Amino acid sequence: MMAPPAALRTLPQGAVQAAWQSQFRGALAEEDADPLPDEERPGDAAERSRYRAVFISDLHLGTAGCQAEALLDFLKHYPSQTLYLVGDIVDGWQLRRRWFWPQAHNDVVQKLLRRARKGCRVVFVPGNHDEFARQFHGHSFGGIEVRNEAVHETADGRRLWVVHGDHFDGVIQCAKWLAYVGDNLYEFTLRLNRHLNSLRARLGLPYWSLSQYLKHKVKTAVNYVSDFEGAVAAEARARGYQGVVCGHIHRPEMRWIDGTLYCNDGDWVESLSALVEHSDGRLELVHWQPPARQTRIPLPEALPAPLSVRAATA
């Protein structure tokens, strides 16, 4: 595991910002020094444009729950013209409590920098866990653009509002201390989940998500998700957009809400999901499946033809 930078000895918020900047500079230096892997040689530009856009969020780099290896594998198989990082890429909340930054997390940063260097437009829309980056709105780091919100136009002319979504979370806005408590409880649930699935694996049982089970069973959590989705879609509609792409709630979804296309690209802690746009403007919600978790997700009949959901495997 990589050691924390000396700047962590400063004030908490400044410490996270300094640590992030230090880690970014280190990754940038490594990216410049390391030779390009075979799949990213300059001659592969045509393959890189296979998808018009890829949207990912809630990586939570800096936490043990981040599935960095799976994300690296996904990025290898999904080159794109544009890559949107829709918030909570780096988990500043957890890094303030405990430094955790293994090499795989640095590899993700290097991968993103390499994408930008090789012609992919990379847009970073900060979320609440990496809100320290919001002060850099309009700046570019290593070719990665920082935007507090963005607009993406699909190949078929639809304008999608790209925003993390935490501003539509009443807990975040009205009782941030409660959000911190919930975040710590979520981390505890993830740790318990890892131990539980380690035991299930030894028994030959498939992966099972405790936290997602609890979210679907607790009525207040179901209402919270529904209220969030409706609020985000309503704001996109009021702004004149045909749809919205967001993250934040770790629940991948793609559906119409009162005539507005709502897309949530999920997360890379449990769902391992992303939203991709094909060359014809068709949007697809992809669930990346590591070998130990290969299950196919059926195509929802309610979604119109331009939209699709599928499970992808390496």
Side-chain angles (χ1 to χ4, degrees):
M1 184 183 300
M2 301 182 67
L8 280 178
R9 294 193 292 268
T10 63
L11 296 175
Q13 183 63 28
V16 175
Q17 179 180 326
W20 179 77
Q21 291 174 323
S22 174
Q23 209 65 54
F24 184 90
R25 287 193 296 269
L28 183 59
E30 290 183 34
E31 191 273 334
D32 285 335
D34 290 346
L36 291 175
D38 291 340
E39 74 272 11
E40 298 203 10
R41 298 295 179 188
D44 292 335
E47 179 70 5
R48 180 166 288 100
S49 61
R50 182 158 42 120
Y51 298 94
R52 287 194 79 245
V54 170
F55 304 79
I56 56 176
S57 74
D58 298 272
L59 314 187
H60 291 277
L61 294 169
T63 69
C66 172
Q67 300 293 319
E69 291 83 359
L71 174 60
L72 288 166
D73 194 37
F74 167 82
L75 290 173
K76 176 182 176 181
H77 288 83
Y78 279 79
S80 61
Q81 296 174 11
T82 305
L83 174 63
Y84 290 95
L85 310 174
V86 195
D88 287 0
I89 305 305
V90 177
D91 197 322
W93 289 12
Q94 290 298 321
L95 286 175
R96 272 201 290 265
R97 295 178 61 247
R98 181 175 68 95
W99 181 258
F100 181 85
W101 197 271
Q103 182 59 44
H105 293 202
N106 219 48
D107 292 343
V108 170
V109 176
Q110 291 179 48
K111 185 78 166 182
L112 299 177
L113 289 166
R114 189 172 291 126
R115 279 282 173 93
R117 181 181 179 182
K118 291 301 170 182
C120 174
R121 184 190 178 206
V122 181
V123 181
F124 172 32
V125 179
N128 52 301
H129 283 259
D130 45 23
E131 60 188 351
F132 55 84
R134 284 174 171 161
Q135 64 185 302
F136 300 115
H137 170 73
H139 292 265
S140 179
F141 296 92
I144 297 177
E145 306 170 27
V146 181
R147 299 284 186 270
N148 288 341
E149 57 183 61
V151 178
H152 176 75
E153 184 168 340
T154 62
D156 53 9
R158 290 174 291 174
R159 296 175 71 242
L160 306 179
W161 185 36
V162 184
V163 62
H164 180 63
D166 57 291
H167 291 106
F168 299 90
D169 185 336
V171 174
I172 295 290
Q173 297 305 312
C174 302
K176 196 167 185 177
W177 65 270
L178 186 58
Y180 283 117
V181 171
D183 183 61
N184 289 329
L185 289 174
Y186 181 60
E187 284 295 317
F188 172 76
T189 303
L190 289 177
R191 288 198 299 271
L192 181 61
N193 195 62
R194 287 194 291 273
H195 291 301
L196 176 61
N197 277 287
S198 177
L199 176 60
R200 288 176 63 87
R202 288 197 293 270
L203 296 175
L205 298 174
Y207 179 88
W208 180 74
S209 173
L210 172 62
S211 62
Q212 289 188 356
Y213 172 81
L214 294 175
K215 288 177 186 176
H216 286 104
K217 288 298 182 181
V218 179
K219 183 178 180 180
T220 53
V222 173
N223 291 338
Y224 160 79
V225 169
S226 179
D227 291 345
F228 173 88
E229 293 175 341
V232 175
E235 181 63 21
R237 186 163 55 253
R239 294 183 179 217
Y241 300 116
Q242 287 72 52
V244 60
V245 180
C246 63
H248 186 60
I249 59 173
H250 293 207
R251 188 174 188 271
E253 183 71 86
M254 184 163 56
R255 64 188 179 95
W256 295 100
I257 301 178
D258 297 330
T260 300
L261 178 60
Y262 169 85
C263 302
N264 193 305
D265 57 26
D267 67 278
W268 286 87
V269 176
E270 293 183 278
S271 302
L272 309 192
S273 57
L275 181 72
V276 303
E277 181 196 356
H278 293 264
S279 59
D280 59 359
R282 178 170 54 94
L283 296 171
E284 179 182 18
L285 192 59
V286 175
H287 290 251
W288 190 248
Q289 300 295 327
R293 292 174 54 176
Q294 288 186 3
T295 57
R296 296 197 67 83
I297 299 175
L299 183 69
E301 296 179 358
L303 292 178
L307 309 177
S308 64
V309 182
R310 72 181 178 89
T313 58

